[in-house]
Amino acid sequence: MVCTDNIDFTIPLQPATDRIMIKFVLMVNRQGQTRLSRYYHSVELSRRAALEADVVRYCLSRKKDQCSFVEYKDFKLVYRQYAALYIVVGITDSENELSIYELVHNFVEVLDKYFSRVSELDIMFNLDRVHIILDEMIQNGHIVETNKSRILAPLTTIDKMVDS
Amino acid sequence: MALKIVKGSIDRMFDKNLQDLVRGIRNHKEDEAKYISTCIDEIKQELKQDNIAVKANAVCKLTYLQMLGYDVSWAAFNIVEVMSSSKFTYKRIGYLAASQCFHENTDVIMLTTNQIRKDLSSPNQYDTGVALTGLSCFVTPDLARDLANDIMTLMSHTKPYIRKKAVLIMYKVFLKYPESLRPAFPRLKEKLEDPDPGVQSAAVNVICELARRNPKNYLSLAPLFFKLMTSSTNNWVLIKIIKLFGALTPLEPRLGKKLIEPLTNLIHSTSAMSLLYECVNTVIAVLISLSSGMPNHSASIQLCVQKLRILIEDSDQNLKYLGLLAMSKILKTHPKSVQSHKDLILQCLDDKDESIRLRALDLLYGMVSKKNLMEIVKKLMIHVDKAEGTTYRDELLTKIIDICSQSNYQYITNFEWYISILVELTRLEGTRHGHLIASQMLDVAIRVKAIRVFAVAQMATLLDNAHLLTGNMQRNGICEVLYAAAWICGEFSEHLENPVQTLEAMLRPKVATLPGHIQAVYVQNAAKLFATILKNQEGNTDSTAAQETSQMMIDRLPLFVQSANLEVQERASCILQLVKYIQKLQQKDVEVAEEVSALFAGELNPVAPKAQKKVPVPEGLDLDAWINEPPSESESEDEQPKAIFTKEEPKHSRPRHTEVDEKELARRREARKQEQANNPFYIKASPSSQKVYQEAPGVEHIPVVQIDLSVPLKVPATTPSHPTGLPMSDQYVKLEEERRQKERAEKKKKEKKKRKEKRSGRGKKHDSGPESEEDITPAHVVDIVTEEMPENALPSDDDDKDPNDPHKALDIDLDNLLETTARRPLADSEKLPVRSHRAAGAPKSSAEDGEAENATPQEPKKKSSKEKRDKKKDKERDRKRSKEEKKKKKHKHEEKEEDLLGGQAEEPVVQSEETKEVEAQPTSTSAEVSDLDFWLSNAPVPSNTQEAATVAEAAPAPEAPAGTAADSEPEEPKDTETEESKSSKHKKKKQKKEKEEKEKKKKKKHHHHHHHSDGGGEESVQNGTVEEEEPLPPMSNYCLLAENSYIKMVCDIQGNLQDGSQVVVSVIFENKSDSFLKSMEFNVLDSLNSKLQRPEGSGPHDGLTVPFQLPPGVSNEARFVFTVQSIVMPQKLKGTLTFIVKNEDSSTHEKLDFKLHFTCTSYLITTPCYSDAFAKLLESGDLKSSSVRLEGVNMPFHHLLARICFHHHFSVVERIDSCASMYSRSIQGHHVCLLVKTSGQTVSIDAKCDEPTLLGNVLDEIKQTFSQC
């Protein structure tokens, strides 16, 4: 009855514009020094430096009264400034900017809670811990956890292990 | 030994740790690089030691250095060593380093497989966690294949912490090793209902991602997600789910209807801006996908626009930005709703944030109308003046031009104004867009004839003041406008006020500093000007003026003859010689003007961009044939760039031919480039756009364009003088306003008159009302070249898919996994490899036989061997025969069962092979999910009764879906079978098929390839009309409209492809009498739906004058355009033709009544369609199906097809023996697909269309066509 009997279908595919929602998380200071970088898609080392410099220049050139979302090449940047430190997240086009904006703040709040009033120095000297926190929150480009105490649970356990 | 350990720990005390390194780098700001290189040396030493603690410390420092951009790949092996440490603190450092440094090509990764497996199964959950996190960063296809099973097990770990991570990493595993998706999916789905919200959210994330790539396979999960959406309170999860629905709705419009309600509820209730934004975005997307065939959702759009307005009005710049972004999405489909917020958007143009201004600019594009264009552009011009930074100013410039030139200058009512805007724009310093302005000037001047006088005058001024534009050598870009100016002045030189002065301006020495291609145009057009001047002066008795001009040419041209630019040199020397010759003739008093101007005679007309393609290939010319010997394979491969045009070329069945085609195209392209290079009117990109210019101080204060007072400004006497300080365009704005006012006044007068005639004393309400779009008539007529689509344009725009897309491999039909009965259990080869014993070839083979069936596209299957088909045919025949025998015994019930068994036995599925993965599914959900259609049509959502009620209301059960049409048919095969005496063999077969269909409905996709060859024939006709097997009977589409003793009217009704609401009726009037017929008036009584298009100003009941008279025995054709709104139903319109019959002595008024029948067929337009596009269309699932049966059709199949093609505007997509698929498209874009099968004298037509009413009517009409013959 259905007239599709002798027609074979090819299955339509969505174009592969974006694969990973969060492409990278960067923490840079006003001088353009990278304090933390995490890539969720592979970028060659040589291109990372260029990308970081470019992204930072872009964000630094923006004034305080400008919005925090920038269209950059084929993806978007969401950035937030905390004192002299910028947190920049590269996201794909289809991602919700506002939710990432809130995620960044959430991340800073978690850092604040763990380091009790986090500063740039805390991040520099405890890079591995910051990485653990970030890994608890974002995994292969997806948001995993946003609950502060649950994010910090593994880290506190690890700290106890190290102490003992 | 002990000593060694002690020594090691003492050494350690002097080692730097990470903190020391960071501090050290800070203290060595001057010689950072040097300091770091010594550190790296130290690290290398540390790595050589046996002590794992030292190594871990070194690796930790390396990770930091890697972040700073130093290559640490040399330490990859040491990282693996640290990863395999038994102590968690070290292991963690190792994994962190690995996740930062390793990538797919790091070779040591293959050493890690066993270590990672060990860590994954570690009793310590943090070991497992850290391994999973690390793995997500550096998983390779090999790792994915080897570890897939371990990770899958972890998805059911007791600790939610592990489950969560395992679920998320599965996404990466699927990408790297697509074969794992099928076996892992049931468990993944199960995690959607995990008690732990974190795990649940992870599963939502993964499935959303998968589904957004291949939404089709996940439609059946919609009810589950719907439940989650109405129950979840986690905004992050909600955002994900809503995004997913956004991807699903285009495939299943009914889902959209169901979604609108809860989404609008969320929009109303949520306080989270991110969620609100997501909802608004999705509602917009849903409404876009539903745009056709949906009841009005203006309320939802209104709500969205309102909410967006709140966002835009917010002081938070982020919200403002996003609001504008979302607004632009609405603009595409519902421009009206956005237009009402024009004030707000114009306000945003003044925002201090450039990104917001740019977004607002985007929106402006869609908001202009004839009425407000000038006002908006005026505002933009002010911004141009104020703008700092060239990027934003350039953006403004392009936007102004975009806005003005959109849809063929639709909104421009006064081109004088536009030209002056363009001239004003040339004042912009340092813009890159000189060529853009130039091309606009050229375009307008060429296409708007009425403006040429004005344009020429403006351009002459521009040329005269060229030094201001080129003041600083090459003020990059902007001098491009001189190209246009020179050309316009030359080409339309007859309009020049003072050609000699312009000629002088064009031959100034300064010109030689311009870019070569502009000089070339100058020289060429100087010659044109020269010709015009000669012509003007010919009549004069005194020839000195003409000779002076010649002398000037001869004096100035040598400068160009010396030019380094070849083009300039060549032209200049050629023209110089010509002028010298002319001068000689002049001295002999020979009249030369006529001949000189003949050099440049003829007008250039704009050509439609695709005109070349429309030229038919002359008969006997085979473009595919080789002209020369074909070049060798390798050669052709690397010189073939991916041609942009090949897409539009018909695909040839033989690959060799397409290649030839590409070659041919490349050659043509080459030729075209050549041609363009030689074409002075083709604007090339400026080569010098990169050059930097030095800014001269205060240049902007010099008025570049003085107002040329010689141009008649047409200022009415009532407004004596405009302040000359106004920019020119502003004056035109005023003029235009006055013109409009005048027009309005005139109209008013007219209307008043009319009203007076009809009835005196109606209120003046109308007059004071705002002017509507249609009232504004443009001051100039644009010579519009309609840009037609090529005839072979594909109905669906199937973008070229990225062949490297990893998600392509993930396009796996998971439906069968969702069924409780598991129709197609996992084959052995599909099970995930367990542990390390694996045969080298195993995974590959699984990919081939398992997934190839689903993933490979059409082509390979077509190759299925002939034997196979024959076998199938035999089998079918056997089955038919056996069925008939059984029927005779009248054991209906048994027979039915047997049949089913027979059908199943044919399937290559071994039912017993059920795996535990499949069994693991929860039955509750699968039962719920099993019938998506049921859910979509009426099932209330169990989670929330109140909401469910409203949802059910919102989605009243619509027509049966295409795929399950068989399912919805009444279940009474027995009844029909009892009256079997009537039923033909064919019918039985069909019923049987239906039954099978019902059983196989859900797994249909896996088996449709069985049916593929049902039709059986080898011959397949693709793309195009049917091959001529027998001569076709003559056919005509003209049908009799009305006839009397004087006149006969026959008509043909065709849809207008360009305009979805127009139908063109061609009527042939034939004078049958011996008298002269004249003053024919054609009139039709309009219906609500269909209206005759009458010229402006005539009333709704006025007739149309037929534009010719008919002498005796003569016939002629006239066309009438009708506008129709809905095309799904046929229409009948009553009409009258009145005419005067004039004999030698007398003349009489006569009339003839007729009935115009707009069949649904007349709304269809023959549109070719390729079989793959056709298949995609059917696959999309948006189409409703219907069928019709024609009995006693006694004609060859190809005649039948030709008839359908001819009378009903279809085209044959593919024909296989006695079966053919056909396609057509309505003027409003409905797709109509037919599958025509014939057996004996019975023809069955199965049809699909996205508009069921239309389809029904078309089928009725087809039936009627064949009942007549």
Side-chain angles (χ1 to χ4, degrees):
Chain A
M1 132 101 236
V2 187
C3 72
T4 58
D5 275 3
N6 51 1
I7 293 150
D8 203 352
F9 302 125
T10 47
I11 292 156
L13 264 175
Q14 295 278 304
T17 45
D18 45 333
R19 286 169 193 173
I20 301 250
M21 3 239 13
I22 300 176
K23 286 172 167 260
F24 56 81
V25 177
L26 285 182
M27 277 175 135
V28 268
N29 65 9
R30 235 183 231 291
Q31 286 77 45
Q33 290 162 315
T34 311
R35 289 300 173 223
L36 173 136
S37 68
R38 193 82 160 112
Y39 289 83
Y40 297 99
H41 67 317
S42 64
V43 178
E44 276 171 50
L45 196 64
S46 53
R47 284 174 53 202
R48 285 189 193 187
L51 177 83
E52 280 165 30
D54 208 30
V55 163
V56 170
R57 198 152 30 83
Y58 230 87
C59 293
L60 287 179
S61 71
R62 293 178 68 83
K63 299 187 197 86
K64 269 225 158 119
D65 55 17
Q66 298 197 304
C67 70
S68 311
F69 313 127
V70 192
E71 272 170 39
Y72 178 82
K73 290 186 184 160
D74 56 341
F75 55 98
K76 289 187 285 196
L77 301 176
V78 175
Y79 70 91
R80 247 183 136 140
Q81 188 187 355
Y82 293 91
L85 205 60
Y86 283 80
I87 300 181
V88 189
V89 186
I91 54 172
T92 48
D93 214 37
S94 58
E95 190 58 41
N96 186 320
E97 293 96 334
L98 273 179
S99 70
I100 298 297
Y101 190 68
E102 281 161 34
L103 176 82
V104 170
H105 192 64
N106 194 13
F107 176 50
V108 174
E109 278 179 353
V110 175
L111 291 178
D112 227 30
K113 191 173 173 189
Y114 179 73
F115 293 109
S116 52
R117 294 193 59 83
V118 67
S119 71
E120 195 181 332
L121 287 180
D122 288 323
I123 293 164
M124 283 167 67
F125 290 123
N126 299 285
L127 190 63
D128 48 343
R129 289 189 165 71
V130 179
H131 266 296
I132 294 176
I133 292 176
L134 189 60
D135 285 346
E136 287 303 317
M137 295 181 71
I138 304 172
Q139 197 180 343
N140 58 347
H142 294 91
I143 303 168
V144 212
E145 188 59 75
T146 47
N147 180 311
K148 276 176 217 145
S149 46
R150 263 193 287 185
I151 291 168
L152 289 178
L155 194 56
T156 41
T157 329
I158 291 164
D159 285 343
K160 269 178 211 153
M161 269 164 64
V162 175
D163 290 343
S164 62
Chain B
M1 185 67 206
L3 194 71
K4 212 176 176 183
I5 293 171
V6 172
K7 192 170 171 281
S9 50
I10 289 172
D11 277 349
R12 265 203 72 196
M13 287 169 66
F14 300 106
D15 286 345
K16 286 195 198 89
N17 62 11
L18 177 62
Q19 274 81 356
D20 299 326
L21 177 76
V22 174
R23 226 169 267 139
I25 293 175
R26 276 162 69 83
N27 291 336
H28 290 79
K29 279 204 176 108
E30 276 76 52
D31 50 348
E32 196 183 288
K34 198 177 151 206
Y35 176 76
I36 288 178
S37 73
T38 54
C39 286
I40 290 180
D41 287 341
E42 280 171 29
I43 290 170
K44 281 183 178 161
Q45 287 305 316
E46 286 166 27
L47 287 175
K48 281 184 188 148
Q49 295 188 32
D50 289 334
N51 190 327
I52 192 72
V54 178
K55 274 188 185 160
N57 185 41
V59 165
C60 186
K61 287 188 281 185
L62 280 180
T63 315
Y64 185 82
L65 292 178
Q66 197 263 357
M67 185 189 80
L68 295 184
Y70 291 87
D71 180 24
V72 298
S73 54
W74 47 270
F77 184 76
N78 303 105
I79 293 174
V80 175
E81 278 182 311
V82 178
M83 275 165 75
S84 39
S85 157
S86 55
K87 218 169 160 198
F88 177 71
T89 33
Y90 301 148
K91 185 189 289 301
R92 182 173 60 88
I93 291 170
Y95 271 104
L96 177 62
S99 65
Q100 291 282 71
C101 311
F102 286 5
H103 47 87
E104 265 198 27
N105 301 326
T106 310
D107 42 7
V108 291
I109 283 189
M110 58 191 196
L111 302 176
T112 59
T113 314
N114 276 318
Q115 179 58 40
I116 295 174
R117 177 172 287 143
K118 212 173 101 191
D119 289 335
L120 286 180
S121 53
S122 156
N124 180 348
Q125 63 164 330
Y126 294 114
D127 279 353
T128 317
V130 89
L132 283 173
T133 310
L135 198 56
S136 74
C137 293
F138 56 79
V139 63
T140 62
D142 283 339
L143 275 180
R145 183 193 55 221
D146 295 341
L147 296 173
N149 200 47
D150 302 73
I151 300 171
M152 208 168 85
T153 324
L154 289 179
M155 278 165 57
S156 314
H157 199 273
T158 49
K159 297 252 174 42
Y161 177 74
I162 300 298
R163 286 209 300 275
K164 177 175 80 183
K165 292 198 169 219
V167 167
L168 266 181
I169 195 171
M170 263 338 254
Y171 177 61
K172 264 280 169 70
V173 173
F174 294 151
L175 285 183
K176 301 282 177 192
Y177 179 57
E179 289 84 349
S180 58
L181 178 55
R182 268 173 63 80
F185 192 76
R187 194 170 292 189
L188 181 61
K189 194 180 142 259
E190 202 183 299
K191 294 298 150 210
L192 281 177
E193 294 180 302
D194 196 278
D196 182 84
V199 183
Q200 202 181 29
S201 135
V204 167
N205 260 319
V206 173
I207 294 186
C208 283
E209 272 318 294
L210 289 171
R212 276 167 63 198
R213 316 297 164 181
N214 305 303
K216 218 187 156 315
N217 302 337
Y218 299 87
L219 258 182
S220 51
L221 285 180
L224 189 55
F225 275 114
F226 197 84
K227 200 177 106 190
L228 280 175
M229 182 173 82
T230 43
S231 60
S232 175
T233 51
N234 183 339
N235 283 344
W236 310 87
V237 174
L238 277 176
I239 288 174
K240 273 273 144 13
I241 296 175
I242 290 168
K243 232 183 233 312
L244 168 73
F245 277 127
L248 290 183
T249 34
L251 298 173
E252 181 49 272
R254 286 173 295 163
L255 190 58
K257 291 180 200 170
K258 211 172 167 111
L259 275 174
I260 290 290
E261 181 90 23
L263 283 182
T264 41
N265 284 347
L266 268 177
I267 290 176
H268 276 301
S269 62
T270 184
S271 59
M273 280 302 177
S274 52
L275 183 59
L276 172 75
Y277 179 62
E278 195 61 51
C279 287
V280 169
N281 257 335
T282 308
V283 168
I284 296 167
V286 166
L287 289 180
I288 289 172
S289 70
L290 290 182
S291 53
S292 58
M294 268 293 281
N296 214 348
H297 266 297
S298 59
S300 311
I301 278 290
Q302 224 44 52
L303 177 69
C304 288
V305 175
Q306 269 167 25
K307 285 282 174 185
L308 289 179
R309 190 182 169 103
I310 295 172
L311 289 189
I312 296 172
E313 280 171 338
D314 200 289
S315 58
D316 186 344
Q317 299 286 66
N318 293 329
L319 297 184
K320 201 177 275 232
Y321 175 85
L322 293 179
L324 290 169
L325 201 62
M327 211 53 131
S328 63
K329 286 180 195 157
I330 299 186
L331 185 70
K332 282 177 203 138
T333 49
H334 299 77
K336 286 249 167 63
S337 334
V338 183
Q339 267 156 13
S340 54
H341 299 281
K342 201 184 90 200
D343 54 320
L344 188 65
I345 284 147
L346 282 176
Q347 216 177 308
C348 289
L349 278 183
D350 297 322
D351 199 278
K352 46 200 181 234
D353 185 353
E354 191 180 300
S355 351
I356 288 176
R357 290 198 301 260
L358 287 175
R359 286 281 86 79
L361 271 182
D362 285 346
L363 278 169
L364 270 189
Y365 182 80
M367 312 199 94
V368 288
S369 63
K370 280 182 184 166
K371 213 173 117 196
N372 63 18
L373 175 74
M374 286 183 159
E375 173 201 346
I376 287 179
V377 171
K378 188 179 166 189
K379 198 154 180 183
L380 291 180
M381 289 300 283
I382 296 171
H383 281 281
V384 170
D385 283 341
K386 282 195 297 187
E388 319 141 1
T390 44
T391 21
Y392 179 57
R393 215 169 41 182
D394 277 359
E395 188 65 31
L396 274 169
L397 190 154
T398 44
K399 269 281 136 54
I400 290 176
I401 289 179
D402 274 359
I403 288 174
C404 291
S405 63
Q406 67 174 309
S407 32
N408 250 332
Y409 308 102
Q410 190 190 348
Y411 300 116
I412 294 186
T413 51
N414 186 330
F415 279 94
E416 289 173 7
W417 165 81
Y418 186 47
I419 292 276
S420 18
I421 286 284
L422 290 174
V423 171
E424 267 169 52
L425 286 175
T426 60
R427 279 187 299 182
L428 278 191
E429 268 183 66
T431 178
R432 291 181 291 111
H433 293 300
H435 61 276
L436 199 62
I437 303 175
S439 71
Q440 284 291 298
M441 286 174 168
L442 285 172
D443 199 37
V444 171
I446 294 170
R447 294 172 63 185
V448 188
K449 286 195 175 121
I451 199 69
R452 284 179 190 167
V453 179
F454 180 78
V456 164
Q458 289 292 305
M459 294 305 125
T461 329
L462 212 55
L463 285 178
D464 219 21
N465 297 314
H467 57 283
L468 293 174
L469 292 179
T470 54
N472 307 296
M473 279 303 288
Q474 316 235 317
R475 261 174 61 185
N476 56 34
I478 202 66
C479 56
E480 286 292 329
V481 297
L482 293 176
Y483 179 107
W487 190 84
I488 291 172
C489 283
E491 182 68 21
F492 307 120
S493 47
E494 69 268 21
H495 301 302
L496 267 177
E497 195 85 348
N498 189 350
V500 182
Q501 191 193 334
T502 310
L503 181 63
E504 196 271 332
M506 281 167 76
L507 293 172
R508 280 178 201 156
K510 202 89 206 235
V511 173
T513 58
L514 290 171
H517 66 284
I518 299 181
Q519 283 185 55
V521 173
Y522 264 70
V523 171
Q524 184 75 17
N525 285 285
K528 288 188 204 165
L529 262 180
F530 177 62
T532 317
I533 293 170
L534 285 187
K535 206 176 176 188
N536 289 348
Q537 291 167 340
E538 192 83 318
N540 296 354
T541 42
D542 181 20
S543 63
T544 46
Q547 285 184 21
E548 268 169 32
T549 321
S550 311
Q551 192 54 45
M552 182 170 75
M553 291 285 279
I554 292 168
D555 291 345
R556 301 280 180 89
L557 278 173
L559 177 70
F560 297 101
V561 177
Q562 293 160 11
S563 170
N565 187 301
L566 209 62
E567 180 86 19
V568 180
Q569 203 187 80
E570 202 176 348
R571 287 182 192 221
S573 61
C574 175
I575 289 166
L576 182 61
Q577 292 312 316
L578 195 68
V579 177
K580 278 182 181 165
Y581 182 65
I582 292 168
Q583 198 185 32
K584 265 186 215 163
L585 291 176
Q586 277 176 331
Q587 280 157 359
K588 289 178 197 161
D589 273 340
V590 181
E591 297 213 335
V592 284
E594 204 64 41
E595 281 151 42
V596 176
S597 48
L599 283 175
F600 307 107
E603 194 168 344
L604 284 167
N605 282 322
V607 177
K610 282 170 184 164
Q612 180 63 49
K613 268 192 202 153
K614 306 214 120 198
V615 179
V617 178
E619 226 173 286
L621 175 65
D622 183 8
L623 288 177
D624 293 339
W626 287 106
I627 297 173
N628 299 315
E629 278 302 295
S632 66
E633 277 302 300
S634 59
E635 196 186 327
S636 65
E637 240 165 56
D638 36 31
E639 67 184 68
Q640 258 160 41
K642 262 284 161 221
I644 22 168
F645 296 104
T646 42
K647 260 190 273 179
E648 283 159 79
E649 289 291 318
K651 284 176 194 156
H652 294 275
S653 46
R654 280 160 299 177
R656 198 177 64 90
H657 269 217
T658 49
E659 197 192 309
V660 179
D661 224 56
E662 268 177 21
K663 193 88 194 148
E664 174 67 27
L665 275 170
R667 205 177 307 139
R668 271 188 232 162
R669 198 163 36 245
E670 228 8 80
R672 200 179 54 242
K673 264 187 201 156
Q674 203 82 47
E675 200 182 290
Q676 284 170 353
N678 297 335
N679 185 351
F681 313 123
Y682 182 78
I683 298 175
K684 284 157 249 173
S686 160
S688 57
S689 57
Q690 301 306 318
K691 283 183 189 158
V692 194
Y693 71 96
Q694 290 104 29
E695 204 170 314
V699 171
E700 64 245 84
H701 302 303
I702 306 168
V704 173
V705 182
Q706 292 117 9
I707 289 159
D708 189 350
L709 290 176
S710 62
V711 181
L713 278 178
K714 292 184 208 156
V715 183
T718 43
T719 51
S721 64
H722 290 286
T724 36
L726 268 180
M728 190 127 146
S729 59
D730 286 359
Q731 295 186 11
Y732 282 103
V733 173
K734 277 201 172 161
L735 279 177
E736 175 68 12
E737 264 162 26
E738 277 155 20
R739 188 182 70 85
R740 285 187 197 170
Q741 245 162 20
K742 224 164 135 191
E743 227 167 57
R744 237 175 294 162
E746 266 169 34
K747 223 174 223 174
K748 238 189 262 175
K749 261 188 223 162
K750 253 193 207 167
E751 273 172 39
K752 263 186 197 164
K753 254 189 204 166
K754 257 191 195 167
R755 243 177 250 137
K756 263 179 202 164
E757 279 166 17
K758 282 182 182 169
R759 204 186 307 162
S760 55
R762 263 256 174 184
K764 284 184 187 174
K765 262 187 286 173
H766 263 300
D767 302 351
S768 50
E771 188 176 17
S772 74
E773 271 291 283
E774 290 74 27
D775 290 345
I776 305 171
T777 51
H780 311 282
V781 184
V782 192
D783 188 5
I784 290 170
V785 184
T786 40
E787 296 166 7
E788 289 176 1
M789 282 292 287
E791 305 245 297
N792 56 354
L794 279 175
S796 59
D797 47 337
D798 39 339
D799 302 338
D800 267 6
K801 306 282 157 46
D802 178 6
N804 300 323
D805 183 10
H807 297 91
K808 201 169 191 167
L810 286 185
D811 192 5
I812 293 167
D813 194 319
L814 299 157
D815 269 2
N816 55 347
L817 287 170
L818 304 174
E819 286 171 46
T820 40
T821 44
R823 289 282 160 202
R824 188 179 175 280
L826 298 168
D828 258 345
S829 57
E830 271 184 329
K831 285 183 197 160
L832 290 178
V834 184
R835 285 283 140 181
S836 44
H837 298 295
R838 63 184 166 85
K844 271 226 167 122
S845 74
S846 84
E848 276 157 23
D849 63 30
E851 304 309 323
E853 274 177 19
N854 303 319
T856 44
Q858 200 173 356
E859 280 76 34
K861 261 174 242 174
K862 276 195 174 159
K863 287 184 200 151
S864 62
S865 66
K866 189 183 159 187
E867 291 160 37
K868 217 172 169 183
R869 276 190 211 157
D870 289 346
K871 248 189 208 167
K872 209 149 280 161
K873 258 191 193 166
D874 289 345
K875 236 181 204 173
E876 203 145 278
R877 221 174 293 138
D878 287 347
R879 264 166 60 198
K880 250 184 250 164
R881 206 176 300 139
S882 69
K883 193 184 167 191
E884 259 166 20
E885 279 164 20
K886 274 169 201 155
K887 242 177 206 165
K888 278 174 199 156
K889 291 176 197 161
K890 299 212 172 185
H891 282 304
K892 278 164 241 146
H893 198 68
E894 268 178 42
E895 171 236 303
K896 189 174 157 196
E897 273 181 3
E898 290 236 12
D899 244 339
L900 288 176
L901 281 175
Q904 276 174 348
E906 224 188 22
E907 296 160 16
V909 181
V910 190
Q911 294 261 356
S912 58
E913 238 191 47
E914 301 224 1
T915 56
K916 64 176 180 214
E917 278 85 3
V918 177
E919 286 172 344
Q921 310 182 69
T923 44
S924 64
T925 52
S926 52
E928 197 183 314
V929 171
S930 62
D931 201 340
L932 173 69
D933 293 314
F934 178 68
W935 172 75
L936 277 171
S937 48
N938 50 17
V941 183
S943 60
N944 185 334
T945 43
Q946 189 207 335
E947 203 151 39
T950 53
V951 168
E953 253 178 34
E959 319 75 18
T964 57
D967 203 30
S968 61
E969 250 164 54
E971 257 233 62
E972 43 185 15
K974 285 176 205 165
D975 292 347
T976 37
E977 267 173 350
T978 42
E979 9 163 41
E980 63 177 1
S981 55
K982 267 189 194 171
S983 65
S984 66
K985 192 169 145 192
H986 190 95
K987 210 166 187 174
K988 276 179 222 156
K989 187 184 159 198
K990 196 183 161 198
Q991 280 167 355
K992 192 191 82 190
K993 237 189 188 166
E994 271 173 21
K995 273 185 261 161
E996 276 179 35
E997 210 81 57
K998 235 174 275 165
E999 293 302 311
K1000 289 200 276 184
K1001 187 190 86 194
K1002 281 153 201 160
K1003 56 191 168 166
K1004 206 176 78 207
K1005 250 163 257 145
H1006 296 288
H1007 300 295
H1008 58 237
H1009 57 279
H1010 292 306
H1011 300 285
H1012 178 60
S1013 49
D1014 266 0
E1018 267 107 78
E1019 173 213 19
S1020 137
V1021 183
Q1022 278 207 20
N1023 281 328
T1025 44
V1026 194
E1027 273 173 32
E1028 301 279 321
E1029 288 162 286
E1030 270 173 60
L1032 289 167
M1035 288 185 278
S1036 164
N1037 252 347
Y1038 282 92
C1039 54
L1040 184 68
L1041 190 61
E1043 187 174 19
N1044 64 10
S1045 53
Y1046 295 104
I1047 194 165
K1048 182 180 174 187
M1049 294 160 73
V1050 289
C1051 76
D1052 176 35
I1053 305 170
Q1054 297 275 0
N1056 183 348
L1057 189 59
Q1058 258 76 51
D1059 188 336
S1061 60
Q1062 281 193 357
V1063 173
V1064 179
V1065 180
S1066 319
V1067 186
I1068 298 179
F1069 300 91
E1070 188 192 342
N1071 188 347
K1072 291 166 62 187
S1073 67
D1074 301 324
S1075 321
F1076 203 85
L1077 301 184
K1078 57 180 234 177
S1079 305
M1080 289 188 280
E1081 264 200 18
F1082 180 90
N1083 199 5
V1084 166
L1085 210 56
D1086 288 351
S1087 73
L1088 273 178
N1089 192 38
S1090 321
K1091 291 185 170 59
L1092 175 62
Q1093 268 196 0
R1094 297 174 167 88
E1096 250 180 275
S1098 52
H1101 305 295
D1102 296 353
L1104 278 182
T1105 317
V1106 179
F1108 47 79
Q1109 303 180 335
L1110 287 179
V1114 170
S1115 61
N1116 203 343
E1117 185 174 15
R1119 284 169 184 241
F1120 303 94
V1121 179
F1122 286 78
T1123 50
V1124 286
Q1125 278 172 350
S1126 162
I1127 60 158
V1128 298
M1129 299 279 279
Q1131 300 275 329
K1132 271 190 183 152
L1133 291 182
K1134 274 187 192 169
T1136 325
L1137 181 80
T1138 55
F1139 52 92
I1140 295 175
V1141 184
K1142 197 167 188 309
N1143 290 328
E1144 272 161 21
D1145 42 346
S1146 67
S1147 61
T1148 48
H1149 266 277
E1150 289 289 349
K1151 71 172 199 168
L1152 174 60
D1153 290 330
F1154 56 85
K1155 252 187 198 172
L1156 261 180
H1157 191 189
F1158 288 358
T1159 54
C1160 280
T1161 293
S1162 50
Y1163 303 127
L1164 296 183
I1165 288 179
T1166 315
T1167 320
C1169 181
Y1170 300 117
S1171 52
D1172 49 348
F1174 188 71
K1176 252 175 223 165
L1177 192 65
L1178 291 175
E1179 174 79 336
S1180 72
D1182 298 336
L1183 308 182
K1184 313 283 180 296
S1185 68
S1186 175
S1187 65
V1188 72
R1189 179 180 305 278
L1190 311 170
E1191 301 282 359
V1193 178
N1194 198 5
M1195 61 170 83
F1197 190 53
H1198 73 281
H1199 281 194
L1200 178 106
L1201 293 183
R1203 253 173 208 278
I1204 298 178
C1205 285
F1206 187 77
H1207 289 294
H1208 298 282
H1209 312 160
F1210 276 85
S1211 65
V1212 177
V1213 177
E1214 194 173 2
R1215 182 184 155 193
I1216 300 166
D1217 214 13
S1218 62
C1219 186
S1221 47
M1222 308 180 86
Y1223 175 79
S1224 184
R1225 191 169 158 207
S1226 81
I1227 51 172
Q1228 293 182 358
H1230 303 109
H1231 306 287
V1232 188
C1233 308
L1234 301 185
L1235 182 78
V1236 186
K1237 289 182 200 162
T1238 179
S1239 67
Q1241 294 205 339
T1242 311
V1243 177
S1244 72
I1245 301 177
D1246 295 321
K1248 283 195 172 190
C1249 174
D1250 34 14
E1251 176 47 68
T1253 330
L1254 177 70
L1255 181 62
N1257 288 318
V1258 169
L1259 287 182
D1260 285 349
E1261 283 161 25
I1262 292 177
K1263 204 167 180 176
Q1264 210 178 354
T1265 307
F1266 288 100
S1267 67
Q1268 282 165 359
C1269 58

